[in-house]
Amino acid sequence: MKKFIVCDVGNKTTYVFIPETKKHYQISTEEFISLNIPELDGHDIVIEDAHIRSQEDNSLAQSWTIDKLKYLRSIANSKNIEILCFPQKVTPKARKIASIAVRPELIDKHDKNDIESIAFYLQEFPEAYDSLKVFDPITYEDFEKKVSHIYQDRDVLTEDSNTSRNEQYGIKTDYEDAVTSWIKKYISILAFNLDNETREWACLEMNAKGNALKPGLINYTSDKLKFIYGVINTILTPSGELRMRSDINKPPYWKYAKQVYFGLTPYHMHAGVTASNYKYHKRKAGSACKKSMNLESKNAVKNLDDVREIREAMNTSDKHLRTLWRTARKMIVEDGLR
């Protein structure tokens, strides 16, 4: 991981933290935009994404016009410095993790505490550093245009998901759509195309002889099929059409599905019903790891090893979801099983 500094930018003042020396600096925002920053040589810059967007309607959270942001980008390019955007919604978690490591009570929210907590979080979990987005100056209007298809695709999926959820996904009811029909027809093929660990994770349980799925799965009466419905629904619509990306009119691949449909990105945490069902029901409630990041819980994490255990369990679940989704996509999109 490359050396980095963390900055918190306000309208007039910028706070700077250098992880190696543990030093804090306070400089003017004008000094920051010219990259006149102490100990900057050989470092990239990490800054919360909300503070490095173009100012709209005199917002206090953003300090600069798009022209100033472009100027900042040009100065950074000339100095061969990368500016990385830390998702602001993750800052409370970073502060909590830093608290667990250095003191028994939660660190107060403060600009200096925030940037020091972000630095600690990125050093302890370098994979988080590797996932940070590179700063790209853009106006709010252009940004909205750039991501409008994401919100559109997510909204359409959520509408379909809500309809099927209200009908209990057709389990033990008379409701039927193209997704329920597909599951009834191909659930066994899907299950046997999966590795044993992923099949077990997806609760596609075998009968006592081990030569077929349990009757509740085959007969579409098991509540465990609710999750399977949610996954297939991201590939095949209830009306029987392939679910398309609205920007390119093609079926998405996993990279798009994991961010847009399942919300597996720190930059878009609220991603609709399908994402919520996965992250808060399947991944969390269904995990063997019962430790909690809620410090008031009886199962609250006590140290960084506990935090790593939670992250490892989440990553394992996400990998199984990827395997399940890619297998189902191949069957539906590439093999034409509909």
Side-chain angles (χ1 to χ4, degrees):
M1 184 172 66
K2 190 173 179 181
K3 294 180 179 180
F4 66 92
I5 67 173
V6 186
C7 298
D8 185 281
V9 180
N11 284 324
K12 295 182 179 180
T13 303
T14 294
Y15 292 95
V16 180
F17 178 67
I18 316 297
E20 297 103 301
T21 61
K22 307 299 182 185
K23 289 183 179 180
H24 285 270
Y25 296 96
Q26 186 173 327
I27 62 177
S28 71
T29 296
E30 287 304 316
E31 286 177 306
F32 173 82
I33 204 166
S34 297
L35 296 186
N36 184 15
I37 302 173
E39 301 188 47
L40 178 59
D41 289 349
H43 292 76
D44 285 339
I45 298 172
V46 175
I47 183 170
E48 286 180 310
D49 57 349
H51 295 306
I52 203 163
R53 299 172 186 155
S54 64
Q55 189 178 58
E56 307 288 337
D57 301 323
N58 296 318
S59 169
L60 296 178
Q62 293 85 33
S63 303
W64 305 307
T65 63
I66 185 62
D67 290 336
K68 279 198 171 183
L69 290 178
K70 289 179 178 178
Y71 172 75
L72 172 62
R73 178 74 269 175
S74 68
I75 295 295
N77 288 344
S78 69
K79 294 176 179 281
N80 196 30
I81 293 171
E82 200 73 271
I83 300 176
L84 303 172
C85 302
F86 186 85
Q88 187 185 39
K89 293 179 179 179
V90 178
T91 300
K93 179 171 72 174
R95 200 164 56 244
K96 185 182 294 185
I97 289 174
S99 301
I100 293 167
V102 302
R103 63 173 69 173
E105 72 275 5
L106 186 63
I107 292 175
D108 294 334
K109 176 173 173 54
H110 183 277
D111 292 335
K112 288 185 177 180
N113 288 343
D114 282 356
I115 57 178
E116 192 165 346
S117 297
I118 290 170
F120 180 86
Y121 176 75
L122 294 175
Q123 288 179 312
E124 290 295 328
F125 303 101
E127 67 276 11
Y129 182 88
D130 294 337
S131 69
L132 296 180
K133 289 185 177 181
V134 176
F135 166 57
D136 180 24
I138 189 171
T139 64
Y140 181 77
E141 182 180 357
D142 288 342
F143 173 78
E144 285 291 291
K145 291 178 181 178
K146 185 178 180 180
V147 300
S148 62
H149 67 281
I150 291 177
Y151 296 116
Q152 179 180 337
D153 292 351
R154 189 177 288 157
D155 288 346
V156 171
L157 175 63
T158 294
E159 184 177 349
D160 288 344
S161 299
N162 282 333
T163 298
S164 59
R165 182 174 61 176
N166 292 339
E167 298 290 346
Q168 301 299 312
Y169 304 97
I171 298 171
K172 301 176 185 176
T173 73
D174 294 332
Y175 175 78
E176 186 164 342
D177 60 27
V179 178
T180 63
S181 296
W182 191 93
I183 295 173
K184 291 173 184 178
K185 189 174 182 180
Y186 294 113
I187 188 63
S188 293
I189 297 176
L190 173 62
F192 283 99
N193 280 339
L194 298 172
D195 62 88
N196 291 337
E197 290 184 356
T198 300
R199 185 165 60 239
E200 182 179 346
W201 168 85
C203 297
L204 297 178
E205 301 167 316
M206 307 298 290
N207 63 16
K209 294 182 179 179
N211 59 1
L213 292 176
K214 286 187 174 181
L217 297 171
I218 295 176
N219 300 330
Y220 202 81
T221 57
S222 172
D223 285 339
K224 294 176 180 178
L225 289 170
K226 292 179 180 179
F227 170 65
I228 300 298
Y229 183 103
V231 173
I232 302 304
N233 190 35
T234 65
I235 306 168
L236 183 71
T237 70
S239 62
E241 303 294 326
L242 291 178
R243 193 170 295 280
M244 302 288 195
R245 288 181 51 161
S246 59
D247 57 336
I248 59 175
N249 198 35
K250 292 182 179 180
Y253 287 93
W254 171 243
K255 183 178 179 180
Y256 187 82
K258 75 174 183 178
Q259 294 186 11
V260 178
Y261 300 152
F262 296 104
L264 300 182
T265 168
Y267 296 96
H268 300 284
M269 290 187 168
H270 302 292
V273 172
T274 300
S276 178
N277 285 344
Y278 171 65
K279 291 194 289 185
Y280 301 109
H281 296 286
K282 180 60 178 175
R283 185 169 72 173
K284 186 175 182 179
S287 174
C289 175
K290 298 305 179 184
K291 294 173 182 176
S292 173
M293 287 297 296
N294 181 355
L295 299 185
E296 297 180 357
S297 167
K298 65 178 181 179
N299 297 320
V301 292
K302 295 180 174 60
N303 50 52
L304 289 182
D305 286 339
D306 288 347
V307 176
R308 291 189 176 93
E309 185 177 337
I310 291 175
R311 292 174 67 87
E312 180 60 30
M314 291 169 57
N315 289 336
T316 298
S317 180
D318 293 346
K319 289 176 181 178
H320 286 312
L321 175 64
R322 179 183 63 190
T323 298
L324 172 62
W325 192 89
R326 284 177 169 172
T327 302
R329 184 192 187 280
K330 181 179 183 302
M331 292 175 62
I332 296 169
V333 178
E334 297 176 22
D335 298 343
L337 300 181
R338 280 179 252 166

